[in-house]
Amino acid sequence: MKLGRLRYFVAVAEELNFTRAAAKLRLAQPALSRQIRTLERELEVELLVRNGRAVKLTPAGQVLFEEGAAILAHYALATQRARDAASGNPVVRVGIGFGVGEHVDRVVTRHAGPFPDIHVQLEIIPSTAQNLALKRCEIDIGFLRPPVDAGYLSCHLLFEERLCALVPAVSPFTRYKAVRLSQIANIPLLLHSRNLSSGLYDRILDLYRVRGITPAVIHTPHSGPGEEAGHMLVASRKGIYIVYASLAIFPVFRKRVKVLPLDEPDAKMPVYVAWRTNERSRHVLNFVETVRSLFDIKRV
């Protein structure tokens, strides 16, 4: 199987549309179709079900998509690391979940002492997306909230952070140091897209569910509590968000919204560091050791 042909198939599988995949690859659509048919003949399996413009993956196609994407990612990673080694500028790529940057900064600062020649490349990536980014070798280490896919990732629990309510500054609750969910049960719950952080999304709903509360949910798929648009929704009293304690308030909203801790013992969210279980790069593993040292984590 040629690597280029595998890349063509993965592009079609990602888009589920030959026209978009061809544009993405800068390839004529008829040529792309021929490459996919050649691959199917080579493997002697049907990979796609074509129904007019609609494209679906067969079970065999789904397997090849998942494994092929990983192969391409490892190829890209091997190529990049070979270039880094040749240039003498090794890179460790780190994904940062929303609100954990302060902790990552401490790790990066400590790591720079014994490893001054290592370039740490940082990128803000939603927690849920970090699992796929790690699998596809787009990052080497992730600082994230659940879920962490134990099938191919190793991880350490770093700490648990308390969940809070992001409420309007002008509300009867701001006179309290903390609030119970029962006190805010009648206020509409603004809920971010589950794709941003499925673990936080599910935890929020579980907190309401175990207390027998059915909130009036307003989904905000195009904004979240960490964005100005989300702050606007709360400031204009459209509802409240349940957020992590480390949420940064935009300066312009500091007099318009307030973060109140939830007075509930189970209103907590774990934060992990994760890396590929089969990781062999000493630069990446050295970074993990720095994390262990800083957070006083013992090897199991």
Side-chain angles (χ1 to χ4, degrees):
M1 182 193 307
K2 293 182 178 180
L3 200 63
R5 200 165 285 153
L6 180 60
R7 184 175 289 109
Y8 295 154
F9 170 73
V10 168
V12 174
E14 287 177 337
E15 299 294 336
L16 292 178
N17 182 287
F18 273 91
T19 302
R20 290 197 299 268
K24 182 178 180 180
L25 294 165
R26 297 182 180 180
L27 187 69
Q29 184 176 332
L32 178 59
S33 297
R34 285 195 299 271
Q35 291 289 339
I36 300 302
R37 290 194 184 95
T38 299
L39 180 60
E40 288 179 317
R41 288 196 299 269
E42 181 182 344
L43 299 179
E44 298 182 344
V45 296
E46 186 180 36
L47 300 171
L48 301 170
V49 176
R50 305 162 179 83
N51 183 12
R53 292 188 176 182
V55 177
K56 292 183 179 180
L57 293 172
T58 66
Q62 183 64 43
V63 170
L64 185 62
F65 173 42
E66 293 174 0
E67 298 297 331
I71 289 170
L72 293 173
H74 279 286
Y75 173 76
L77 179 62
T79 302
Q80 185 59 53
R81 285 186 175 167
R83 289 171 178 164
D84 292 342
S87 67
N89 296 311
V91 176
V92 175
R93 299 162 303 163
V94 177
I96 308 172
F98 297 124
V100 300
E102 179 181 352
H103 303 282
V104 178
D105 179 60
R106 291 166 54 212
V107 177
V108 172
T109 300
R110 175 173 291 192
H111 193 71
F115 302 103
D117 297 329
I118 302 299
H119 174 59
V120 180
Q121 182 176 305
L122 305 171
E123 182 178 0
I124 300 294
I125 303 176
S127 290
T128 301
Q130 286 193 42
N131 285 268
L132 185 57
L134 282 161
K135 185 175 184 179
R136 292 186 173 182
C137 302
E138 295 168 355
I139 58 175
D140 302 309
I141 294 174
F143 290 83
L144 69 164
R145 300 174 182 87
V148 178
D149 195 327
Y152 59 91
L153 297 178
S154 296
C155 68
H156 288 311
L157 173 65
L158 300 181
F159 58 90
E160 289 187 315
E161 57 184 340
R162 179 151 297 282
L163 296 181
C164 303
L166 183 65
V167 302
V170 180
S171 74
F173 307 107
T174 54
R175 67 177 183 269
Y176 301 114
K177 293 183 178 180
V179 291
R180 304 294 299 269
L181 269 184
S182 58
Q183 293 176 271
I184 55 177
N186 294 326
I187 303 176
L189 173 65
L190 302 172
L191 207 52
H192 63 271
S193 169
R194 192 172 183 273
N195 291 333
L196 290 177
S197 179
S198 58
L200 178 59
Y201 183 102
D202 295 341
R203 188 79 192 100
I204 291 169
L205 293 181
D206 282 345
L207 287 172
Y208 279 87
R209 180 183 54 79
V210 298
R211 289 163 178 77
I213 301 172
T214 303
V217 175
I218 299 176
H219 292 280
T220 60
H222 303 298
S223 63
E227 302 171 9
E228 286 186 292
H231 282 44
M232 291 178 196
L233 290 173
V234 173
S236 60
R237 310 187 76 166
K238 300 298 183 184
I240 62 169
Y241 279 108
I242 302 299
V243 300
Y244 36 82
S246 56
L247 178 75
I249 302 299
F250 286 93
V252 70
F253 287 97
R254 284 177 182 162
K255 294 183 179 181
R256 301 182 61 197
V257 300
K258 186 174 181 179
V259 176
L260 291 177
L262 288 178
D263 186 15
E264 307 288 356
D266 55 342
K268 298 177 182 179
M269 196 71 191
V271 175
Y272 295 90
V273 62
W275 65 97
R276 286 178 291 276
T277 298
N278 63 353
E279 183 61 69
R280 295 182 180 180
S281 167
R282 62 184 175 87
H283 303 302
V284 174
L285 297 178
N286 284 339
F287 193 91
V288 174
E289 284 299 325
T290 299
V291 176
R292 289 192 181 110
S293 173
L294 186 60
F295 288 88
D296 195 25
I297 298 170
K298 307 299 181 184
R299 281 180 174 271
V300 179

